[in-house]
Amino acid sequence: MNSTRLCMLVGLALTGGLTLAGCGEVKGEAAGRAAKQVASGGSNVTGTAGGGNADFARNLAGVRLAYDAVLQNLTHAQTPGYRALRPVFPDPDDPAAAHTDEAYLPILERDPRPGKPVFTGRWLDVAIQGNGYLILDDPTSGANDGLAYVRAGDLYINLDHELVHGSPDGPRVEPIVIFPDEYADLAIKPDGAVYARTRTRGKWVAVGQLHLARFANHAGLQESITGRYTASTESGPPIVGTPGELGLGTLLQKHLEGSNVELSEELAELKRLKAWGRSLAGALGVDPGFRDAPLIAAADERRAGVSRPSSSLSAGR
């Protein structure tokens, strides 16, 4: 089951007739009634599914799962390339889904909106402007072909002078890009062409070409234990090409794509979920079981990514 569309396996019954957008935001005709039910202690909160303790418990389990998704978003608010999770609760009044328990199971979907490019000043950082993923040779990803895909372009050069991802000992970028033993400067062009300027002659030489991959259904990508993505039957095979071609985006050097997490929105969702969960927990006489939110500096609310300016020409630049 892929993490971009993860069915939370709890028998969640929603407030009668309402649809939730995001994490706990009440929408639809039942909004006012639901708000009154929550404020009054949650009487008959489960609406069409009945008002028993079992239904309260299932609702609380779903709220906890949605709450944890918001916490994950907040934790990764400064993770380059991170895309927020959005719990989606199908409408229980939908006739096509009225007679199946799955109609009430929230689904976690990735917010497809890209984060804003964040200037880092680091020579080996690249932001993808548009569609596509960098391709990695990552045997630890668990994919049959050993390939993984990432949006975050924090690149490094390993001891073998190869371009790698995430750290100096991270997985190699595909196709392979190899730098000369000594060089004074490097450049990554919007079309993915990689150049190095030699120290001896001061000439720019081509050292490799970055490719990007896109998918017919990017929501079908599976998230590996390393946090990277792998292809699946649902995503379809990768369509690989030069940046700027085949519907692929271009590259922006010295930038990283920031997270698309909006802190003010996530904190508001957290507040709503807490109120809803505490109401349900009060009706059950149990602890709501919410974990503490991560500490977030006030100044970070204006930042979507990690700024790591550096003028160093070391391998980690």
Side-chain angles (χ1 to χ4, degrees):
M1 183 178 300
N2 70 68
S3 64
T4 60
R5 188 171 175 82
L6 176 63
C7 287
M8 301 174 179
L9 298 180
V10 295
L12 179 64
L14 299 176
T15 306
L18 68 84
T19 299
L20 294 181
C23 300
E25 182 179 356
V26 181
K27 299 287 186 183
E29 295 180 358
R33 184 171 70 256
K36 291 179 181 178
Q37 289 169 344
V38 171
S40 65
S43 177
N44 199 26
V45 170
T46 53
T48 58
N53 282 353
D55 291 323
F56 280 116
R58 285 192 287 267
N59 273 277
L60 180 57
V63 172
R64 284 171 177 164
L65 287 168
Y67 181 91
D68 285 344
V70 177
L71 288 188
Q72 181 172 330
N73 293 340
L74 290 171
T75 300
H76 291 282
Q78 291 189 355
T79 299
Y82 178 81
R83 293 187 172 182
L85 291 167
R86 302 294 178 214
V88 177
F89 297 87
D91 186 348
D93 285 347
D94 182 356
H99 300 292
T100 170
D101 290 340
E102 292 185 0
Y104 307 107
L105 299 181
I107 297 169
L108 280 183
E109 295 182 344
R110 290 286 179 185
D111 187 337
R113 297 174 299 172
K116 296 178 181 179
V118 178
F119 177 75
T120 65
R122 184 174 175 270
W123 296 80
L124 284 172
D125 282 344
V126 290
I128 301 172
Q129 295 188 290
N131 199 5
Y133 297 81
L134 290 168
I135 308 165
L136 306 179
D137 178 11
D138 184 12
T140 65
S141 67
N144 292 333
D145 58 5
L147 296 178
Y149 305 91
V150 292
R151 287 286 299 183
D154 48 333
L155 305 177
Y156 291 80
I157 299 171
N158 66 15
L159 295 178
D160 294 323
H161 308 290
E162 299 169 327
L163 197 61
V164 296
H165 178 266
S167 70
D169 58 354
R172 189 170 59 189
V173 174
E174 291 287 343
I176 301 172
V177 176
I178 301 178
F179 286 84
D181 291 345
E182 293 186 359
Y183 55 94
D185 203 352
L186 62 87
I188 301 175
K189 300 297 184 178
D191 65 357
V194 184
Y195 294 87
R197 185 164 59 86
T198 60
R199 287 186 182 276
T200 53
R201 297 185 180 181
K203 295 178 62 176
W204 286 95
V205 296
V207 296
Q209 171 68 53
L210 294 176
H211 287 174
L212 295 177
R214 66 178 178 87
F215 299 85
N217 176 24
H218 68 86
L221 291 171
Q222 293 182 332
E223 188 170 355
S224 70
I225 58 174
T226 61
R228 305 178 182 106
Y229 298 103
T230 60
S232 69
T233 302
E234 188 177 351
S235 71
I239 301 169
V240 178
T242 301
E245 299 180 354
L246 301 176
L248 295 164
T250 57
L251 302 181
L252 181 62
Q253 189 182 17
K254 297 185 181 180
H255 289 73
L256 286 176
E257 179 185 324
S259 163
N260 68 358
V261 172
E262 294 289 344
L263 292 182
S264 58
E265 293 179 6
E266 300 298 332
L267 291 171
E269 294 290 353
L270 209 64
K271 183 177 180 180
R272 278 192 286 267
L273 286 168
K274 276 188 175 181
W276 188 7
R278 285 171 177 168
S279 175
L280 291 167
L284 289 167
V286 299
D287 188 295
F290 292 137
R291 295 184 292 120
D292 292 335
L295 295 176
I296 303 172
D300 290 340
E301 190 161 348
R302 297 188 301 271
R303 300 171 61 192
V306 180
S307 179
R308 297 174 299 173
S310 173
S311 58
S312 170
L313 291 181
S314 66
R317 67 177 176 281

